[in-house]
């Protein structure tokens, strides 16, 4: 298949790109305007999720495509990557263009834990999903939405944060991290699910929770990563809630690649867990357990 992959240079996108090519697909990789200023490779397509907010801007890029995979995402708003455009307006324009161009198969990488969240991150992600559902209900698309829990792998900002915390002999956790539950998923398992959805599971539609086999408290996950690296238990201290909020506001002032900010703190108000059964059906096996992620996903 000829597949247009947006976000191809990002953490998840790079793994998707490699997995789809290994499966024999021709991947047309979306690159940012900054990358497009250099000489484009034959399989690269320039695109700007901050500005390409109309279906007309996407129609030329969809010529000859069989499917679209959208892996673009940001944690918070910035001038260069406004979250409303990146998560909602541009994806909706892309999906509408797919409907007009007859590209029925769309795989949207969304996020787990956004239902019921009041964060801007969740609101914009849900808006893109709603757009897909409307087009699917009208019989114009055959989409599938993947909602991963925390995606773990080398190159991920949150993964690097977890690994750095796991190396510390004394660690001070923001209060919610001691109770919030996640269900980490290997980035390679997520890519394998996308490959399946563009192959043997091509007829599969709907929304799929993408999780590892078992939930774990975030602090316990960091402890597991520490153990997987051969270190003994760390001394764990609790950061009081007022200081936790202050640290998140400080994170808001740091570059957008820093995963700790007010948005991420708000997302910790709800567990990031789900039933892995449908995801494991796509994989044809169990996902990588969080206790084996360093060996199997940190590569």
């Amino acid at each position: 298949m000829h597949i247009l992959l947006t976000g191809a240079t990002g953490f998840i996108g790079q793994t998707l790109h490699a997995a789809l090519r290994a499966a024999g697909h021709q991947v047309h990789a979306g690159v940012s305007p900054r990358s497009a200023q250099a000489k484009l490779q034959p399989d690269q397509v320039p695109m700007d999720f901050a500005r390409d907010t109309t279906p007309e801007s996407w129609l030329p890029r969809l010529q000859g495509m069989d499917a679209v995979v959208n892996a673009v995402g940001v944690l918070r708003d910035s001038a260069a990557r406004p979250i409303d455009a990146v998560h909602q307006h541009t994806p909706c324009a892309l999906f509408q263009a797919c409907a007009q161009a007859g590209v029925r198969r769309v795989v949207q990488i969304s996020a787990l834990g956004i239902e019921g969240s009041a964060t801007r991150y969740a609101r914009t992600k849900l808006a893109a999903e709603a757009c897909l559902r409307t087009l699917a209900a009208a019989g114009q698309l055959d989409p599938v939405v993947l909602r991963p829990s925390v995606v773990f792998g080398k190159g991920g900002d949150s993964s690097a944060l977890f690994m750095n915390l796991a190396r510390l002999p004394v660690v001070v956790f923001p209060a919610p991290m001691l109770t919030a539950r996640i269900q980490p998923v290997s980035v390679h398992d997520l890519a394998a699910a996308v490959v399946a959805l563009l192959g043997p599971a091509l007829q599969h539609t709907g929304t799929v929770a993408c999780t590892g086999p078992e939930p774990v408290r975030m602090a316990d996950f960091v402890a597991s990563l520490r153990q997987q690296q051969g270190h003994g238990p760390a001394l764990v201290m609790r950061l009081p809630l007022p200081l936790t909020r202050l640290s998140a506001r400080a994170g808001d002032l740091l570059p957008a690649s820093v995963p700790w900010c007010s948005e991420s703190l708000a997302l910790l108000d709800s567990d990031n867990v789900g039933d892995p059964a449908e995801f494991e059906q796509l994989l044809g096996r169990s996902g990588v357990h969080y206790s084996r992620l360093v060996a199997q996903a940190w590569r």
Side-chain angles (χ1 to χ4, degrees), residues 35-75:
S35 301
Q37 289 175 3
K39 185 177 180 181
L40 288 174
Q41 299 300 313
D43 66 341
Q44 291 182 328
V45 181
M47 56 185 63
D48 187 351
F49 263 60
R51 294 183 174 84
D52 297 339
T53 56
T54 65
E56 290 72 23
S57 62
W58 287 99
L59 286 171
R61 300 172 180 134
L62 293 173
Q63 293 182 11
M65 296 299 142
D66 300 303
V68 166
V69 179
N70 179 32
V72 173
V74 294
L75 182 58

Side-chain angles (χ1 to χ4, degrees), residues 27-40:
V27 182
H28 303 263
V31 296
S32 70
R34 290 181 296 278
S35 301
Q37 289 175 3
K39 185 177 180 181
L40 288 174

Side-chain angles (χ1 to χ4, degrees), residues 53-232:
T53 56
T54 65
E56 290 72 23
S57 62
W58 287 99
L59 286 171
R61 300 172 180 134
L62 293 173
Q63 293 182 11
M65 296 299 142
D66 300 303
V68 166
V69 179
N70 179 32
V72 173
V74 294
L75 182 58
R76 61 180 190 256
D77 190 55
S78 68
R81 304 187 76 190
I83 196 169
D84 292 295
V86 171
H87 281 180
Q88 177 179 353
H89 303 312
T90 297
C92 288
L94 171 59
F95 303 153
Q96 291 162 6
C98 286
Q100 293 176 29
V103 181
R104 297 188 60 88
R105 191 52 161 170
V106 175
V107 179
Q108 164 76 352
I109 309 296
S110 188
L112 198 62
I114 55 177
E115 292 281 2
S117 172
T119 63
R120 196 171 176 187
Y121 175 90
R123 176 180 58 77
T124 52
K125 281 286 191 181
L126 287 169
E129 291 187 16
C131 180
L132 268 183
R133 284 195 298 272
T134 298
L135 293 168
Q140 296 178 288
L141 294 181
D142 300 315
V144 61
V145 174
L146 298 182
R147 286 183 175 177
S149 184
V150 173
V151 182
F152 186 89
K154 200 158 192 178
D157 293 329
S158 62
S159 302
L161 175 61
F162 285 131
M163 289 292 281
N164 288 333
L165 288 172
R167 296 186 182 105
L168 299 174
V170 179
V171 58
V172 181
F173 281 118
M177 288 185 67
L178 294 170
T179 55
R181 294 193 309 156
I182 57 176
Q183 209 160 333
V185 57
S186 164
V187 68
H188 301 292
D189 283 352
L190 181 60
V194 173
V195 170
L197 289 165
L198 296 173
L202 189 60
Q203 304 308 313
H204 194 107
T205 59
T207 302
V208 180
C210 302
T211 70
E214 183 181 358
V216 61
R217 291 189 310 161
M218 195 172 289
D220 293 335
F221 176 51
V222 174
S224 175
L225 293 178
R226 182 172 174 80
Q227 183 180 39
Q228 291 174 62
Q229 296 177 81
H231 303 305

Side-chain angles (χ1 to χ4, degrees), residues 10-26:
F11 161 52
I12 293 175
Q14 289 185 61
T15 305
L16 294 180
H17 192 179
L20 290 167
R21 288 188 63 185
H25 296 294
Q26 179 64 49

